[in-house]
């Protein structure tokens, strides 16, 4: 007579303390972080942006340090009118050797001067825009001398220059044997007439010589001679 089959426990019914300890120590696997690839182009771009930022800051600092405070016009002032303190203001501009603005430290000096030309609001005040005397003064007259570049020296005329307006012969005439007549004058301003291309030089002469000079200018037979600036500004 055979023996009854022995009962085999199922795997999950095995009571093994060592097995439970091993299972308790198991932890879920953690995936390693993906390896990041460096992109040289992005790194180069970042370096370039930093460099540009530094250059921009340096340029801004240089621009600010090169600014100067100058005198500007807050109102229109017609030629010959007194420049009032209320007509003046200040502006900050970049220092430029080609400009000749008036520094704001001279505000008190400018107020009370006469405008030597029509001044527009918003413009910068420059040397030659003002004078302590109205022009022409009593006993003087202002004459506009229209000439071509051939009748002028190559040196640009400046306000205050002393010139002589000299009579010249006709183109076909012989040179004069005697010293030609001339009239001494003081330059007020010089500008170019757009339509004709001629240069108009406003000069101050004694009142009694104004008609004579105007008649000579009308003939066109004149030349402007710049006298010595020695001892001037």
């Amino acid at each position: 007579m055979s023996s009854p089959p022995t009962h085999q426990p199922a795997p999950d019914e095995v009571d093994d303390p060592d097995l439970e300890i091993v299972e308790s120590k198991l932890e879920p696997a953690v995936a390693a972080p993906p390896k990041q690839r460096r992109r040289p182009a992005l790194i180069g771009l970042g370096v370039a942006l930093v460099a540009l930022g530094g250059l921009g800051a340096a340029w801004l600092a240089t621009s600010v340090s090169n600014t100067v405070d100058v005198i500007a016009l807050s109102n229109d002032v017609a030629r010959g009118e007194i420049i009032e303190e209320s007509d003046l203001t200040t502006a900050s501009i970049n220092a430029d050797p080609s400009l000749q603005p008036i520094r704001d430290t001279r505000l008190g000096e400018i107020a009370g001067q006469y405008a030597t030309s029509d001044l527009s609001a918003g413009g910068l005040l420059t040397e030659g825009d003002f004078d302590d005397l109205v022009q022409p003064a009593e006993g003087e007259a202002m004459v506009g001398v229209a000439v071509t570049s051939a009748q002028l020296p190559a040196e640009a005329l400046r306000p205050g220059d002393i010139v002589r307006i000299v009579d010249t012969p006709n183109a076909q005439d012989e040179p004069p044997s005697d010293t030609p007549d001339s009239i001494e004058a003081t330059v007020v301003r010089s500008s170019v007439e757009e339509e004709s291309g001629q240069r108009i030089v406003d000069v101050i002469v004694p009142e009694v010589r104004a008609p004579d000079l105007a008649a000579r200018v009308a003939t066109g037979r004149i030349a402007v001679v710049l006298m010595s600036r020695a001892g001037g500004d």
Side-chain angles (χ1 to χ4, degrees):
M1 187 171 176
S2 61
S3 300
T6 305
H7 175 70
Q8 297 294 328
D12 56 352
E13 294 179 355
V14 176
D15 186 12
D16 189 343
D18 293 335
L19 182 60
E20 292 180 356
I21 294 174
V22 172
E23 291 179 349
S24 65
K25 291 183 178 181
L26 294 178
E27 295 180 355
V30 178
K35 186 176 181 180
Q36 296 182 350
R37 297 177 59 189
R38 296 183 178 180
R39 297 184 180 180
L42 291 179
I43 295 175
L45 178 60
V47 172
L49 290 175
V50 171
L52 287 175
L55 290 175
W59 175 84
L60 181 60
T62 302
S63 299
V64 172
S65 63
N66 286 340
T67 59
V68 292
D69 292 331
V70 298
I71 300 176
L73 279 300
S74 56
N75 299 312
D76 293 338
V77 181
R79 182 176 59 186
E81 290 184 345
I82 295 178
I83 303 174
E84 304 288 350
E85 187 173 354
S86 58
D87 297 324
L88 304 175
T89 185
T90 59
S92 294
I93 64 170
N94 288 331
D96 188 336
S98 64
L99 300 177
Q100 295 181 330
I102 309 298
R103 297 297 294 268
D104 63 335
T105 53
R106 297 177 59 187
L107 263 174
E109 172 190 338
I110 306 303
Q113 302 264 5
Y114 292 93
T116 58
S117 60
D118 293 334
L119 306 178
S120 300
L124 299 180
L125 195 70
T126 62
E127 297 288 355
D129 286 340
F130 56 91
D131 200 325
D132 57 352
L133 297 175
V134 64
Q135 292 180 322
E138 186 176 355
E140 295 178 339
M142 184 181 297
V143 179
V145 180
V147 288
T148 65
S149 58
Q151 296 169 283
L152 286 167
E155 175 69 18
L157 298 178
R158 302 189 308 222
D161 279 341
I162 304 299
V163 296
R164 280 192 173 275
I165 291 79
V166 182
D167 288 350
T168 59
N170 292 314
Q172 66 275 15
D173 292 346
E174 293 291 331
S177 57
D178 298 326
T179 301
D181 292 335
S182 63
I183 298 176
E184 185 174 291
T186 302
V187 175
V188 177
R189 71 183 63 84
S190 177
S191 61
V192 175
E193 189 178 55
E194 294 183 1
E195 294 183 1
S196 65
Q198 286 187 309
R199 181 164 290 278
I200 309 299
V201 183
D202 288 339
V203 298
I204 296 291
V205 295
E207 188 175 355
V208 295
R209 300 304 307 272
D212 190 16
L213 177 58
R216 297 183 187 195
V217 171
T219 68
R221 295 188 295 106
I222 59 172
V224 178
V225 178
L226 174 63
M227 307 306 290
S228 174
R229 287 173 173 164
D233 294 337

